[in-house]
């Protein structure tokens, strides 16, 4: 296990690396964890899950605000600061009304992307009015929705059951948004993973037990463990939370290859 120690000088060098400069940082654990994100070229996708010891991300009523500890939250904000765009589903917006900013660390907030297949957002959500980073909303080309304040609406032709993650990333790449954080919710993250699009998966575990509620990742069922993902993983002690840094590409789970994958309006 690596002990993560982050100081201002280390973080500043990582931000320089994110802009295409620098050759490393003095704290090795920080470099091992964040340099693959900061120094990525071309398309790079990281998914982040913050969950309890028993794999829950919220209570049955949707309360998720204290699942991650302060160090787990700081890690999430660092990930946001190192990418071009952060993606969430409409369920996450409804449950948390997130700002998706980098309030806890120095750096620029990413473009905020919402998957709203059926055009259900009504424009009252905070991120349309907080004066923060730009907002992009993906909708089905067959959906009719209202104009959302200050947001760019991108209509995509749906596949069999929703919007395709490949099409979402292609549209973002056309806007020079290549480094992407898929932050929630469980189904949106799962669909990007199952589509083979996630390079790194970060699972931050907080020492609490919730007992019931939604799980962090909702992949389709498998019949045997031969079909399970077995990523190469490193473990980091963040302080309040323990982080599993999983390298998902190019490794694939044979039991899930070839599945049809889509992103609908779920979280």
């Amino acid at each position: 296990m690596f002990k993560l120690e982050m100081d201002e000088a280390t973080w500043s060098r990582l931000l320089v690396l994110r802009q295409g400069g620098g050759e490393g940082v003095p704290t090795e654990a920080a470099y091992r964890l964040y340099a693959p994100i900061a120094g990525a070229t071309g398309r790079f996708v990281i998914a982040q899950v913050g969950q309890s010891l028993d794999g829950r991300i919220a209570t049955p009523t949707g309360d998720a605000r204290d699942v991650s500890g302060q160090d787990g939250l700081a890690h999430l904000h660092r990930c946001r600061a190192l990418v071009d765009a952060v993606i969430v589903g409409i369920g996450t917006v409804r449950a948390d009304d997130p700002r998706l900013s980098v309030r806890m660390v120095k750096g620029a907030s990413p473009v905020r992307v919402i998957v709203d297949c059926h055009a259900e957002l009504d424009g009252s959500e905070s991120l349309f009015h907080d004066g923060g980073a730009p907002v992009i909303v993906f909708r089905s080309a067959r959906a009719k929705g209202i104009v959302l304040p200050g947001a760019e609406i991108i209509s995509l032709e749906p596949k069999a059951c929703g919007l395709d993650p490949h099409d979402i990333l292609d549209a973002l790449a056309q806007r020079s948004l290549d480094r992407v954080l898929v932050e929630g919710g469980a189904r949106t993250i799962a669909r990007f993973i199952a589509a083979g699009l996630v390079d790194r998966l970060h699972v931050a575990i907080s020492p609490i037990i919730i007992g019931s509620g939604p799980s962090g990742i909702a992949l389709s069922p498998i019949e045997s463990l031969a079909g399970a993902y077995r990523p190469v993983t490193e473990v980091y002690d963040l302080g309040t939370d323990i982080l599993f840094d999983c390298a998902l590409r190019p490794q694939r789970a044979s039991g899930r290859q070839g599945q049809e994958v889509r992103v609908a309006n779920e979280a």
Side-chain angles (χ1 to χ4, degrees):
M1 181 184 295
F2 297 95
K3 175 65 176 178
L4 183 69
E5 296 179 355
M6 182 66 72
D7 55 32
E8 185 175 346
T10 298
W11 181 241
S12 294
R13 292 197 182 195
L14 280 163
L15 290 177
V16 171
L17 182 62
R18 186 227 185 283
Q19 298 299 325
E23 297 180 352
V25 295
T27 306
E28 182 180 355
Y31 185 74
R32 289 178 68 93
L33 179 59
Y34 295 113
I37 311 170
T41 58
R43 178 174 291 177
F44 182 88
V45 179
I46 176 173
Q48 153 77 25
V49 177
Q51 64 183 44
S52 64
L53 284 172
D54 54 338
R56 309 294 180 177
I57 58 172
T59 67
T61 60
D63 182 7
R65 294 190 180 276
D66 295 320
V67 169
S68 295
Q70 285 299 303
D71 295 322
L73 290 174
H75 165 72
L76 174 59
H77 284 223
R78 291 186 197 112
C79 290
R80 289 176 183 171
L82 295 177
V83 299
D84 304 315
V86 55
I87 297 176
V88 295
I90 186 174
T92 297
V93 175
R94 284 174 165 172
D96 301 335
D97 196 21
R99 294 169 60 182
L100 303 176
S101 69
V102 296
R103 310 182 293 283
M104 299 182 69
V105 301
K106 181 172 67 175
S109 293
V111 173
R112 299 172 289 182
V113 180
I114 306 170
V115 180
D116 180 19
C117 185
H118 301 300
E120 297 177 67
L121 296 173
D122 62 15
S124 65
E125 296 78 11
S126 295
L127 49 71
F128 295 120
H129 306 282
D130 62 8
V135 179
I136 294 174
V137 177
F138 282 97
R139 290 175 175 170
S140 166
R142 303 172 188 175
K144 295 181 180 180
I146 65 171
V147 175
L148 298 171
E152 178 184 3
I153 307 297
I154 300 177
S155 295
L156 297 176
E157 191 63 34
K159 299 297 171 61
C161 297
L163 304 184
D164 192 312
H166 293 85
D167 294 340
I168 291 173
L169 293 184
D170 287 345
L172 294 178
Q174 292 172 5
R175 291 155 177 81
S176 299
L177 303 173
D178 295 309
R179 271 179 291 201
V180 176
L181 168 63
V182 184
E183 188 172 318
R187 292 186 181 90
T188 299
I189 290 173
R191 285 165 180 162
F192 277 83
I193 290 174
L197 295 172
V198 176
D199 296 275
R200 305 296 276 255
L201 170 66
H202 284 187
V203 181
I205 299 178
S206 179
I208 62 172
I209 298 173
I210 299 176
S212 59
S215 61
I217 302 174
L219 288 162
S220 56
I222 56 175
E223 293 184 0
S224 71
L225 289 180
Y229 290 88
R230 299 182 185 273
V232 175
T233 301
E234 292 185 341
V235 183
Y236 292 82
D237 179 0
L238 300 180
T240 60
D241 301 61
I242 299 298
L243 179 74
F244 289 79
D245 175 20
C246 309
L248 291 185
R249 298 180 74 181
Q251 182 173 314
R252 295 289 178 267
S254 59
R256 291 190 173 100
Q257 287 179 341
Q259 288 184 344
E260 182 183 52
V261 180
R262 68 277 185 191
V263 175
N265 66 317
E266 298 96 330

